[in-house]
């Protein structure tokens, strides 16, 4: 027993301690220099891949071939590309803020090759459609699936492999803190304004003068550059706001297809759709601060 006690309390040799410190320093350096993303950012990147894949599919289905608007004006029809492209541009700015929050370093490589292949395929199909060169209709959705696999492969691989890594538990705790902070007043207002802006585009989309409204898309660049603009919103947003934005984007994508390929969207339907989009984002801006805010301690003497 005495020998066991002496062995348990024996001091660690300097060589062993130095080896442990060196290993710890190596792990810290690898963590700081890593080009892979934490779990929350990997999920966002996967969502970006899905959004881009759906965007190219919607664009090819809606705008290749003869794109005439409700009033028979070809240019009015093509102006509706503002509906899907505005949220796509917004997402780029929002994702830049999320990347800064998670201190992610972008790495060219597999992801860059995938992006190049998607862009090349999209350009080929777009030129075929504009040139009225017929090709099977199912190629568009199939290309969307391929685009998602190419763009979403790296983050999906990250999500699968991280469960086998020793640091998964600590990384998971870190990513769970993503939604622990309330929105600042400026970002709460910006979130609501994003909804109002997207809702206004949807509400006026069925009008023959929508091409002139579409020019207001330049506001995206203005919103981007504000101190409380898109990157800052992406920095502060939690899953609730990201989910609301994704839902709003999905509604806009569906509205685009309905406007271009059906007669279902009347001015009343467009206005109702726009109001729904605005309410979704406004509700998210209000609820995020309430849900994510820390709970205040109870006052003494009150049960």
């Amino acid at each position: 027993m005495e020998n066991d006690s002496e062995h348990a309390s024996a001091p660690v040799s300097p060589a062993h301690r130095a080896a442990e410190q060196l290993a710890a320093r190596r792990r810290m350096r690898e963590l700081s220099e890593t080009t892979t993303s934490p779990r929350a950012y990997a999920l966002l990147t996967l969502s970006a891949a899905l959004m881009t894949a759906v965007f190219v599919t919607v664009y090819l289905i809606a705008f290749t071939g003869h794109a005439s608007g409700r009033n028979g004006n070809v240019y009015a029809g093509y102006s509706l590309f503002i509906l899907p492209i505005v949220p796509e541009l917004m997402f780029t700015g929002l994702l830049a803020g999320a990347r800064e929050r998670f201190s992610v370093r972008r790495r060219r490589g597999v992801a860059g090759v995938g992006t190049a292949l998607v862009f090349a395929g999209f350009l080929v199909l777009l030129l075929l459609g504009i040139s009225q060169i017929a090709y099977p209709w199912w190629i568009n959705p199939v290309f969307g699936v391929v685009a998602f696999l190419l763009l979403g492969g790296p983050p999906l691989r990250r999500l699968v492999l991280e469960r086998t890594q020793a640091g998964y538990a600590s990384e998971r705790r870190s990513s769970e803190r993503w939604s622990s902070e309330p929105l600042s007043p400026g970002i709460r207002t910006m979130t609501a304004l994003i909804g109002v802006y997207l809702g206004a585009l949807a509400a006026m989309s069925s009008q023959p003068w929508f091409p002139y409204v579409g020019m207001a898309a330049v506001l995206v660049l203005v919103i981007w550059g504000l101190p409380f603009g898109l990157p800052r919103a992406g920095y502060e947003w939690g899953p609730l706001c990201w989910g609301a934005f994704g839902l709003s984007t999905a509604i806009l994508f569906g509205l685009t297809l309905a406007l271009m390929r059906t007669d279902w969207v009347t001015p009343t339907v467009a206005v109702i759709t726009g109001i729904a989009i605005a309410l979704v984002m406004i509700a998210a801006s209000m609820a995020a601060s309430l849900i994510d805010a820390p709970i205040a301690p109870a006052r003494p003497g009150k049960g």
Side-chain angles (χ1 to χ4, degrees), residues 90-266:
M90 284 186 169
F91 191 87
T92 302
L94 294 167
L95 198 63
R99 187 180 298 113
E100 180 183 355
R101 173 166 188 165
F102 297 119
S103 300
V104 175
R105 298 182 181 182
R106 303 186 66 179
R107 179 177 61 181
R108 306 297 180 184
V110 177
V113 172
T115 302
L117 291 175
V118 170
F119 177 77
F122 174 70
L123 185 61
V124 169
L125 293 178
L126 183 62
L127 291 176
L128 290 176
I130 294 177
S131 303
Q132 300 290 315
I133 299 176
Y135 61 86
W137 65 268
W138 51 263
I139 290 182
N140 289 333
V142 168
F143 176 73
V145 174
V146 173
F148 173 70
L149 294 177
L150 288 173
L151 299 175
L156 186 60
R157 178 176 177 272
R158 168 67 177 176
L159 291 172
V160 172
L161 293 181
E162 72 174 0
R163 295 182 179 275
T164 64
Q165 296 176 353
Y168 171 72
S170 61
E171 185 178 21
R172 184 177 182 182
R173 288 194 298 269
S174 176
S175 65
E176 288 174 349
R177 292 196 294 270
W178 178 32
S179 61
S180 62
E181 299 177 2
L183 297 177
S184 64
I187 298 305
R188 187 163 58 246
T189 302
M190 176 56 65
T191 303
L193 289 177
I194 289 174
V196 172
Y197 176 48
L198 295 179
L201 288 178
M204 294 181 285
S205 60
S206 66
Q207 301 297 331
W209 36 264
F210 181 75
Y212 303 101
V213 178
M215 291 186 293
V218 71
L219 289 176
V220 175
L221 302 178
V222 177
I223 295 173
W224 195 317
L226 294 175
F228 49 91
L230 295 176
R232 184 63 194 181
Y235 186 93
E236 293 192 17
W237 274 9
L240 181 62
C241 290
W242 280 106
F245 182 78
L247 177 60
S248 301
T249 300
I251 295 174
L252 281 176
F253 284 176
L255 180 64
T256 302
L257 286 175
L259 282 166
M260 295 303 301
R261 298 302 178 188
T262 72
D263 294 325
W264 300 341
V265 183
T266 63

Side-chain angles (χ1 to χ4, degrees), residues 19-152:
E20 288 182 342
Q21 292 177 351
L22 183 62
R25 188 174 301 175
R26 185 184 301 111
R27 287 194 298 268
M28 291 296 296
R29 185 174 65 252
E30 292 174 351
L31 182 61
S32 63
E33 294 178 354
T34 182
T35 55
T36 54
S37 56
R39 186 171 186 270
Y41 184 76
L43 288 172
L44 281 178
T45 309
L46 190 63
S47 300
L50 177 61
M51 181 174 178
T52 302
V54 175
F55 168 77
V56 297
T57 304
V58 169
Y59 196 97
L60 289 172
I61 294 175
F63 299 107
T64 55
H66 183 67
S68 60
R70 292 182 58 84
N71 60 355
N73 188 333
V74 172
Y75 298 103
Y78 280 120
S79 70
L80 290 174
F81 83 97
I82 294 295
L83 292 178
I85 207 170
V86 164
E88 182 75 15
L89 291 175
M90 284 186 169
F91 191 87
T92 302
L94 294 167
L95 198 63
R99 187 180 298 113
E100 180 183 355
R101 173 166 188 165
F102 297 119
S103 300
V104 175
R105 298 182 181 182
R106 303 186 66 179
R107 179 177 61 181
R108 306 297 180 184
V110 177
V113 172
T115 302
L117 291 175
V118 170
F119 177 77
F122 174 70
L123 185 61
V124 169
L125 293 178
L126 183 62
L127 291 176
L128 290 176
I130 294 177
S131 303
Q132 300 290 315
I133 299 176
Y135 61 86
W137 65 268
W138 51 263
I139 290 182
N140 289 333
V142 168
F143 176 73
V145 174
V146 173
F148 173 70
L149 294 177
L150 288 173
L151 299 175

Side-chain angles (χ1 to χ4, degrees), residues 1 192 197 286:
M1 294 295 294
Y197 176 48
M286 298 174 62

